[in-house]
Amino acid sequence: MKQIALYGKGGIGKSTTSANLSAALGESGRSVLQVGCDPKHDSTRMLMHGEPLPTVLELVRERGATGVALEDVVRTGYAGVRCVEAGGPEPGIGCAGRGIIATFQLLEERGALEADVIVYDVLGDVVCGGFAMPMREGYAEEVYLVTSGELMSLYAANNIAKAIARLAERPRCRCRLAGVILNAKGIEREEELVTAFATAIGSRLVAAIPRDRVVQLAELHRQTVIEYAPDSTQAGVYRQLADDLLRTTDRAIPVPLTQDALESLAFAHAPL
Amino acid sequence: MPSSPSLLPTPRSEGCTLAGALSVAAAVSDGLTVVHGPAGCAHHHVSLLLTTLLDQPGARMPTLLSDDLCEQEVIFGGEGTLARALDDAVSRSPGSIAVLSTCVAEAIGDDCEAVVTRVPDSLPVVVIPVGGFLGGGFLEGERTALQAYGRLASRLPVSERSDEPVIALVGEKNLEFEADTHADELGRLLGLLDLEVGLRFIREAPTSELGLLPGADLLVLREPALGPVADRLPVRPGTPLIDGFPVGLSATIEFLRAVGAAMNLDADSACEIEIAHQETVLARFAGLAGSRVRLPAGAGWLAELADALDLVPAPDGVPLPVPEPAPVGTAGISRLLSRWRRAL
Ligand SMILES: Nc1ncnc2c1ncn2[C@@H]1O[C@H](COP(=O)(O)OP(=O)(O)OP(=O)(O)O)[C@@H](O)[C@H]1O
Ligand code: SF4
Ligand SMILES: [Mg+2]
């Protein structure tokens, strides 16, 4: 079983990438579970054709943890991908990070954390320890950083690299960095920059996903690109990523950059 | 239980901000304290409070409730749990309610002020925000609590008061073993001027009495460090203030003079009586004269005392114990000297 987590700055394309990845894996016959770890609970929307999932925390709040059955929270979407949304507390109150870990424990107790591949879609620009829990508690074994060439996005990715590096010092922590995924914004020299970033932190670029209108079109049809435009180049890119991800054995302890080094790197690869 | 007050150092100011705030809130004699947080926070400090109180003869056990925040509340917020605990608290008809937050409550962002609005207006409530992790320690908690009760005092109906002037002791250290002994000594000294302690802010005071604070005629702070707290108490502008309990022979006399000046009283005869009393006390220890002793440097009142007793400070002298907190008034000196006599 592979447990992978996509971490990255808000809005960078984690959910789009996760869902297409899961869809590609599902199509290839793998059993897949996608867990959305974001209070926004929109990670699996495209896989579920827009059908909103009740979140685990919503039901736990209503019924208490013992009152929640697996079939209430795990639904099967496109290509047989099983979908779960952790959800979160009301904005401005409670601890979402703690909620995520409670969700994981509940799924684990009910024996739901079983699949060929589990894909966790986790917010990465939240600074609190709660969002590092999936890594710390050994759920997210292979972390992929999703980033564009924008400084703020690299900054968030670098912070997550810091968290991985720190957690990796613990004897029993299996969490490692498996690679960097470029979800392009279409900036000049973007791939060059993100490749340099990946190398600099001791990892590699595993995919360069172009920015493509087909993503929005698919979204309007409440589908993943894999389903909506199976023959598109974009779908090919996601399938390629799925393939790479299944085969890869790369697991590195990253060496995060200092703020200065990160900025110099961005400067050196700035658009001409 | 020790039969005589210990003069050994009694460090009773350790613990987090919650411990400090609790030491104040639990001293409102008809108050009820709700600790909004995990049961562990309340348990830990209640144990400390109770062991301390057990040392004090006739001590009243305070009423404390924990609303027992658990996983569910950490995730979703604990305001509902606090609301239920408050309803429980109200049903017990206390004189007032204090809500003390904790690290966990502060971290998950509960809005205690918003929740306490459910308490009927007729029942005074005070919210004391004391998440230990937000910085500070015991003393910070104590001060935050005094300030919160100060704000409460200004909202209380003006207490019925006699014609006697109100002299308020502010910030007594409730976990100090000698707290009452110190207050008794201040009462004795004020008695020499025909005055008395009108309010203990806060030690074993019922809620209604706290309403005396805004009209107080003189504030006597437990220690100078409470100055910033006193600055924000809701008293009349220009209310005189003495910034510490007196420690040492001459400081005790100066205290009488300061009270006299503040209250427009002639303190001469009170001072004469006290000086004579001090001489009687010193005479009881005349046998110590000529002893070679070693005392901690820097405390003027100790040097003054050594001088009055004709002790001989010497590097190879007998080290003399000096309690922390320092003894208050002439009675404090008398207890200290008994201890020195045993040491010499
Ligand atoms: N490769 C791409 N090409 C074009 N649009 C994209 C691409 N990837 C993502 N998007 C668009 O960017 C928007 C944000 O993507 P997405 O919701 O996947 O980000 P996210 O990282 O999951 O955000 P959040 O942190 O808010 O959960 C979406 O509207 C999506 O359609
Ligand atoms: S958790 Fe915070 S409030 Fe509770 S006992 Fe510890 S330091 Fe004090
Ligand atoms: Mg998302």
Side-chain angles (χ1 to χ4, degrees):
Chain A
M1 183 170 73
K2 259 183 174 314
Q3 301 204 69
I4 68 166
L6 276 71
Y7 271 87
K9 186 185 173 325
I12 199 59
K14 297 177 296 294
S15 300
T16 307
T17 310
S18 304
N20 279 291
L21 185 60
S22 293
L25 289 165
E27 260 188 3
S28 73
R30 303 300 197 293
S31 72
V32 184
L33 173 71
Q34 178 164 328
V35 186
C37 310
D38 178 344
K40 233 171 29 292
H41 62 83
D42 61 350
S43 172
T44 60
R45 220 167 78 88
M46 299 308 131
L47 290 166
M48 294 302 302
H49 298 148
E51 179 202 332
L53 284 187
T55 73
V56 176
L57 290 180
E58 203 171 270
L59 295 183
V60 168
R61 171 162 40 194
E62 278 168 21
R63 310 177 188 168
T66 45
V68 181
L70 264 193
E71 52 273 26
D72 298 331
V73 289
V74 186
R75 298 283 164 85
T76 305
Y78 176 71
V81 175
R82 286 179 299 138
C83 300
V84 178
E85 292 287 349
E90 311 253 316
I93 190 168
C95 170
R98 188 68 208 135
I100 284 167
I101 204 66
T103 299
F104 284 18
Q105 282 163 355
L106 186 136
L107 293 174
E108 195 165 42
E109 273 166 34
R110 308 275 199 287
L113 289 186
E114 286 297 330
D116 293 332
V117 185
I118 304 182
V119 179
Y120 300 105
D121 170 8
V122 198
L123 262 178
D125 49 5
V126 179
V127 289
C128 93
F131 288 89
M133 285 288 239
M135 300 193 262
R136 190 187 315 159
E137 300 290 309
Y139 296 104
E141 295 181 328
E142 296 172 26
V143 174
Y144 287 87
L145 302 176
V146 183
T147 181
S148 71
E150 288 167 312
L151 189 57
M152 283 305 111
S153 161
L154 286 168
Y155 180 74
N158 192 49
N159 272 344
I160 300 155
K162 278 186 199 162
I164 300 171
R166 200 162 42 76
L167 291 168
E169 288 170 8
R170 305 184 182 193
R172 275 188 302 277
C173 182
R174 286 169 303 175
C175 165
R176 295 292 183 271
L177 180 60
V180 177
I181 297 171
L182 162 64
N183 195 35
K185 287 275 160 152
I187 309 165
E188 245 180 284
R189 298 179 73 189
E190 199 172 15
E191 184 167 343
E192 189 187 316
L193 168 57
V194 177
T195 306
F197 169 73
T199 314
I201 63 171
S203 183
R204 67 182 181 112
L205 187 73
V206 291
I209 304 169
R211 184 161 190 85
D212 195 319
R213 228 174 67 82
V214 74
V215 174
Q216 269 88 34
L217 284 175
E219 209 170 80
L220 287 173
H221 288 84
R222 300 177 172 181
Q223 288 173 14
T224 55
V225 175
I226 300 287
E227 183 181 7
Y228 174 74
D231 302 323
S232 61
T233 346
Q234 192 78 359
V237 175
Y238 289 124
R239 287 200 192 96
Q240 180 69 47
L241 171 61
D243 256 15
D244 187 286
L245 200 136
L246 282 175
R247 275 183 285 107
T248 191
T249 47
D250 284 11
R251 289 161 53 77
I253 297 178
V255 188
L257 303 181
T258 62
Q259 173 89 3
D260 274 355
L262 182 62
E263 282 173 16
S264 310
L265 191 84
F267 190 77
H269 299 272
L272 295 168
Chain B
M1 196 184 298
S3 55
S4 69
S6 157
L7 283 171
L8 286 172
T10 51
R12 292 279 164 80
S13 56
E14 281 164 19
C16 71
T17 38
L18 173 62
L22 209 48
S23 78
V24 174
V28 177
S29 60
D30 59 353
L32 184 155
T33 306
V34 178
V35 178
H36 177 41
C41 289
H43 170 80
H44 175 65
H45 298 303
V46 165
S47 320
L48 170 77
L49 206 62
L50 294 192
T51 29
T52 311
L53 290 177
L54 284 175
D55 266 359
Q56 302 182 355
R60 171 191 58 86
M61 290 298 142
T63 316
L64 292 162
L65 294 179
S66 163
D67 65 358
D68 187 19
L69 288 190
C70 294
E71 173 97 334
Q72 180 103 352
E73 288 78 33
V74 170
I75 298 171
F76 299 118
E79 293 178 5
T81 317
L82 174 59
R84 283 191 293 282
L86 278 173
D87 292 346
D88 180 0
V90 170
S91 72
R92 293 164 193 251
S93 316
S96 60
I97 297 174
V99 175
L100 274 58
S101 63
T102 56
C103 292
V104 170
E106 298 288 338
I108 62 180
D110 284 349
D111 186 348
C112 297
E113 291 284 358
V115 182
V116 299
T117 53
R118 67 192 290 113
V119 174
D121 285 344
S122 54
L123 180 50
V125 190
V126 52
V127 174
I128 311 176
V130 280
F133 79 112
L134 291 175
F138 186 97
L139 296 174
E140 188 62 32
E142 206 174 49
R143 281 165 213 169
T144 310
L146 286 172
Q147 227 130 43
Y149 275 103
R151 288 192 295 274
L152 178 79
S154 65
R155 298 198 307 268
L156 291 174
V158 181
S159 311
E160 258 183 51
R161 51 179 286 185
S162 56
D163 298 336
E164 300 296 327
V166 174
I167 297 181
L169 306 188
V170 175
E172 285 180 77
K173 306 256 160 220
N174 290 321
L175 302 190
E176 243 170 47
F177 182 86
E178 304 86 352
D180 286 328
T181 316
H182 293 159
D184 288 348
E185 173 66 353
L186 255 59
R188 184 186 68 81
L189 292 170
L190 292 173
L192 298 177
L193 291 158
D194 258 340
L195 297 166
E196 58 185 22
V197 174
L199 168 63
R200 298 176 74 182
F201 192 84
I202 294 171
R203 184 170 175 80
E204 289 312 299
T207 307
S208 61
E209 218 168 277
L210 303 181
L212 288 171
L213 184 73
D217 299 284
L218 170 65
L219 304 181
V220 182
L221 308 189
R222 174 65 187 91
E223 57 186 5
L226 289 170
V229 174
D231 286 345
R232 290 198 224 151
L233 290 179
V235 290
R236 289 174 303 217
T239 302
L241 177 147
I242 294 175
D243 75 353
F245 287 10
V247 172
L249 295 168
S250 56
T252 302
I253 306 303
E254 278 157 30
F255 173 79
L256 287 171
R257 289 211 187 285
V259 175
M263 306 301 293
N264 274 323
L265 296 170
D266 180 0
D268 285 351
S269 75
C271 291
E272 269 168 36
I273 295 173
E274 190 59 15
I275 289 169
H277 175 54
Q278 288 183 347
E279 278 163 4
T280 320
V281 169
L282 291 176
R284 285 201 342 253
F285 297 94
L288 302 183
S291 307
R292 294 168 69 78
V293 300
R294 192 148 42 101
L295 285 167
W301 68 273
L302 280 173
E304 176 195 59
L305 184 59
D307 195 42
L309 285 163
D310 286 329
L311 300 178
V312 182
D316 60 345
V318 179
L320 290 179
V322 178
E324 174 59 40
V328 169
T330 307
I333 300 274
S334 169
R335 292 199 308 282
L336 177 68
L337 292 183
S338 305
R339 190 168 164 80
W340 282 6
R341 182 152 57 195
R342 277 188 306 236
L344 285 169

